[in-house]
């Protein structure tokens, strides 16, 4: 069993090596092999130089010549994955790779195709940060659920874990944070077996490098409508459609 961890990163010079070490130290890899794929989305700080100077920190380093967004970085990384299970991992320190065994368990033992890691189901410790972000996340999740008819608690979570043969069937069209509602809609309407588990969360502030903003929330609403109302009739959206 090989676990492919895809890490999109943009201007994360202070955290990228720390998170890669944490991924390598995850207890999930005591029983399974690791394929660690980093996609640098044209960082303008020292992120790319740091990564190139530490080739032992990853297995594959991919680089965009222009900044294209998180969704575009995930499109590149997921296409390069060869493992049995694909895990999406942000390059900051908000999400803890020690949760990997919990995240992959429904795929290994319960027949799941996809697992969402929810910040609102409990699990480990949660840093207390922005109230309005929490409210916005819950609104977007509720709106998404109304169209997908699934009962997620955290559609916007970074931690989406999928069987590789499933996730690579879908074309990722959104270049930025619209990826989250897009892939949720496509997975839900394809008939995938979806599970959700509680995770820990160490949210960061804007002064610490948080990037998502209100414009991304507006785009998320657009993506929810686009990929549920106007694409719902198609079972698969990717290479086999």
């Amino acid at each position: 069993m090989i676990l492919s961890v895809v890490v999109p990163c943009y201007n994360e010079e202070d955290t990228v090596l720390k998170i890669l070490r944490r991924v390598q130290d995850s207890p999930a890899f005591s029983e399974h092999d690791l394929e660690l794929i980093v996609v640098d989305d044209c960082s303008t700080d020292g992120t790319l130089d740091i990564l190139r100077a530490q080739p032992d920190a990853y297995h594959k380093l991919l680089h965009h010549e222009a900044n294209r967004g998180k969704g575009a970085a995930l499109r590149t990384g997921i296409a390069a994955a060869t493992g049995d299970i694909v895990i999406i991992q942000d390059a900051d320190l908000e999400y803890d790779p020690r949760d990997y065994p919990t995240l992959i368990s429904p795929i290994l033992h319960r027949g799941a195709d996809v697992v969402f890691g929810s910040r609102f189901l409990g699990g480990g410790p949660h840093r207390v940060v922005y109230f309005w972000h929490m409210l916005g996340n819950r609104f977007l999740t509720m709106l998404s659920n109304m169209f997908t008819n699934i009962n997620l608690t955290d559609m916007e979570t970074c931690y989406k874990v999928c069987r590789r043969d499933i996730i690579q069937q879908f074309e990722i069209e959104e270049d930025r944070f619209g990826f989250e509602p897009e892939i949720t809609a496509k997975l839900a309407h394809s008939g995938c077996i979806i599970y959700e588990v509680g995770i820990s969360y160490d949210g960061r502030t804007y002064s610490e490098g948080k990037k998502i903003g209100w414009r991304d929330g507006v785009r998320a609403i657009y993506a929810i409508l686009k990929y549920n109302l106007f694409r719902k009739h198609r079972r698969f959206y990717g290479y086999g459609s």
Side-chain angles (χ1 to χ4, degrees):
M1 177 68 68
I2 298 175
L3 307 180
S4 294
V5 179
V6 177
V7 184
C9 68
Y10 174 67
N11 288 352
E12 299 288 1
E13 63 180 0
D14 294 332
T15 62
V16 64
L17 286 184
K18 294 177 184 177
I19 195 61
L20 295 180
R21 298 304 183 195
R22 290 186 186 184
V23 169
Q24 292 177 336
D25 291 339
S26 170
F29 305 116
S30 61
E31 299 180 3
H32 309 289
D33 291 330
L34 167 66
E35 178 184 56
L36 185 45
I37 303 168
V38 182
V39 184
D40 178 74
D41 192 31
C42 194
S43 294
T44 56
D45 62 358
T47 298
L48 185 58
D49 292 334
I50 289 170
L51 289 168
R52 285 174 171 167
Q54 298 286 334
D56 63 323
Y58 50 83
H59 299 98
K60 298 177 182 178
L61 174 60
L62 307 173
H63 173 63
H64 289 170
E65 294 296 333
N67 180 254
R68 295 160 55 192
K70 180 179 179 180
L74 288 173
R75 181 163 58 241
T76 298
I78 290 170
T82 62
D84 303 282
I85 297 173
V86 175
I87 301 172
I88 296 172
Q89 173 71 58
D90 282 351
D92 53 35
L93 303 177
E94 291 189 323
Y95 293 84
D96 192 345
R98 285 178 292 187
D99 286 325
Y100 286 179
T102 301
L103 288 161
I104 66 175
S105 179
I107 295 178
L108 297 179
H109 305 297
R110 294 182 178 272
D113 298 314
V114 184
V115 181
F116 284 62
S118 173
R119 295 164 288 181
F120 305 123
L121 277 182
H126 285 64
R127 180 182 176 184
V128 176
V129 280
Y130 298 118
F131 168 77
W132 291 108
H133 276 210
M134 178 272 293
L135 204 63
N137 284 340
R138 290 189 171 178
F139 167 75
L140 292 172
T141 297
M142 180 184 68
L143 186 63
S144 175
N145 287 347
M146 290 171 63
F147 288 103
T148 59
N149 196 31
I150 59 177
N151 61 339
L152 291 172
T153 65
D154 192 5
M155 178 271 295
E156 290 282 334
T157 180
C158 155
Y159 273 161
K160 294 176 174 67
V161 182
C162 305
R163 287 172 37 202
R164 180 180 60 84
D165 61 327
I166 294 290
I167 193 65
Q168 287 185 343
Q169 291 185 63
F170 300 100
E171 177 189 0
I172 298 171
E173 301 173 54
E174 293 292 312
D175 285 338
R176 288 182 54 79
F177 294 101
F179 162 82
E180 313 293 358
E182 175 197 355
I183 199 63
T184 300
K186 292 179 176 182
L187 291 167
H189 293 305
S190 72
C192 289
I193 299 173
I194 301 173
Y195 274 66
E196 193 175 41
V197 299
I199 58 169
S200 59
Y201 182 63
D202 189 15
R204 61 178 178 173
T205 64
Y206 285 104
S207 64
E208 294 169 328
K210 194 171 188 68
K211 298 179 177 67
I212 194 168
W214 67 267
R215 291 181 179 84
D216 298 302
V218 173
R219 181 68 188 189
I221 294 173
Y222 169 80
I224 289 170
L225 298 176
K226 176 180 178 179
Y227 296 104
N228 285 284
L229 291 180
F230 303 110
R231 305 291 186 85
K232 186 176 179 179
H233 63 285
R234 298 175 62 185
R235 179 171 176 79
F236 292 108
Y237 298 74
Y239 310 126
S241 60

